[in-house]
Amino acid sequence: DAGITQSPRHKVTETGTPVTLRCHQTENHRYMYWYRQDPGHGLRLIHYSYGVKDTDKGEVSDGYSVSRSKTEDFLLTLESATSSQTSVYFCAISAQGAREQYFGPGTRLTVT
Amino acid sequence: RKEVEQDPGPFNVPEGATVAFNCTYSNSASQSFFWYRQDCRKEPKLLMSVYSSGNEDGRFTAQLNRASQYISLLIRDSKLSDSATYLCVVGLNTGGFKTIFGAGTRLFVKA
């Protein structure tokens, strides 16, 4: 299995609070991605990174920001969490863009 | 129209059956194609990449028809452990890399 970890694995937070999710990889892959998965929507891309300090928006980026200061770490921040951001968040990595991706175990986030 | 569409499912099949999953994609510039499986409350895992010539991995066969913009996955001799959701995935480069996941088709294999 690809070396990808996510932290925390579970989090409950209140509306309006900031939340940061971390993705860490040991594969030295260039590309990293953040997805959310919700019933009826499948996996939707939030943001992705194609290198250190290089990021771009996905299809559902509103309300989220990301940072990548090191190859191995990709952070997803919800500046002010809302109940609509309750979801399962998956991080993924790939060696090349639009190629095979390998996923982390996911973070279940509940915003009350 | 969704960019990647799959059979809504679920599929309920007995052990030993052959089951086929279908997927269509809307962007003719799509460059890469994959099937993933996802077990309940787990992360998606790559099952196989799909090549124009078709490819096989044991009981699994994937086909790609670029002219029809259609991808398929065939599972022969279904096992209980094949029960999962199967995701069709398409990748393209439109000035930025984009990977689009289908909503998935749930498979239940029963003894």
Side-chain angles (χ1 to χ4, degrees):
Chain A
D1 288 349
I4 312 168
T5 57
Q6 293 185 231
S7 59
R9 294 292 314 280
H10 301 269
K11 186 170 182 67
V12 180
T13 192
E14 293 183 349
T15 299
T17 60
V19 177
T20 295
L21 308 183
R22 179 181 183 240
C23 178
H24 179 78
Q25 61 145 331
T26 58
E27 305 296 321
N28 201 35
H29 280 358
R30 179 181 174 191
Y31 292 84
M32 298 185 76
Y33 311 81
W34 277 108
Y35 293 90
R36 61 179 289 174
Q37 188 172 37
D38 306 287
H41 288 282
L43 279 155
R44 292 181 291 174
L45 182 65
I46 304 171
H47 283 278
Y48 71 97
S49 169
Y50 48 97
V52 173
K53 293 188 175 14
D54 293 322
T55 64
D56 204 352
K57 295 179 179 180
E59 64 177 299
V60 290
S61 59
D62 288 348
Y64 302 94
S65 62
V66 290
S67 66
R68 191 167 178 201
S69 59
K70 298 185 290 184
T71 297
E72 57 266 35
D73 289 326
F74 193 33
L75 304 180
L76 176 71
T77 297
L78 291 65
E79 301 291 348
S80 177
T82 67
S83 58
S84 65
Q85 293 175 312
T86 292
S87 187
V88 179
Y89 291 85
F90 287 104
C91 174
I93 64 174
S94 66
Q96 301 177 50
R99 294 300 309 170
E100 294 86 348
Q101 295 182 22
Y102 301 92
F103 284 80
T107 295
R108 291 188 174 274
L109 177 67
T110 302
V111 183
T112 61
Chain B
R1 181 187 173 189
K2 292 183 179 178
E3 291 185 89
V4 176
E5 293 202 65
Q6 297 186 239
D7 294 326
F11 292 173
N12 291 281
V13 303
E15 272 188 297
T18 295
V19 59
F21 299 92
N22 301 310
C23 173
T24 57
Y25 58 95
S26 61
N27 193 325
S28 60
S30 298
Q31 300 170 314
S32 52
F33 310 90
F34 313 94
W35 284 101
Y36 284 72
R37 70 169 278 167
Q38 186 173 23
D39 295 292
C40 190
R41 300 177 74 85
K42 296 286 190 179
E43 72 273 22
K45 291 191 175 181
L46 180 67
L47 182 63
M48 51 197 309
S49 302
V50 188
Y51 304 112
S52 296
S53 56
N55 46 303
E56 187 174 312
D57 183 3
R59 298 181 293 109
F60 299 83
T61 300
Q63 297 279 351
L64 168 64
N65 184 322
R66 284 187 182 270
S68 302
Q69 297 181 199
Y70 169 85
I71 310 160
S72 65
L73 175 69
L74 190 74
I75 304 177
R76 292 181 298 278
D77 190 22
S78 299
K79 312 291 184 190
L80 295 175
S81 58
D82 293 332
S83 296
T85 297
Y86 289 83
L87 306 172
C88 174
V89 182
V90 172
L92 64 159
N93 185 350
T94 55
F97 294 109
K98 190 175 179 182
T99 306
I100 306 160
F101 285 74
T105 303
R106 189 83 168 90
L107 172 67
F108 295 95
V109 181
K110 300 189 175 180

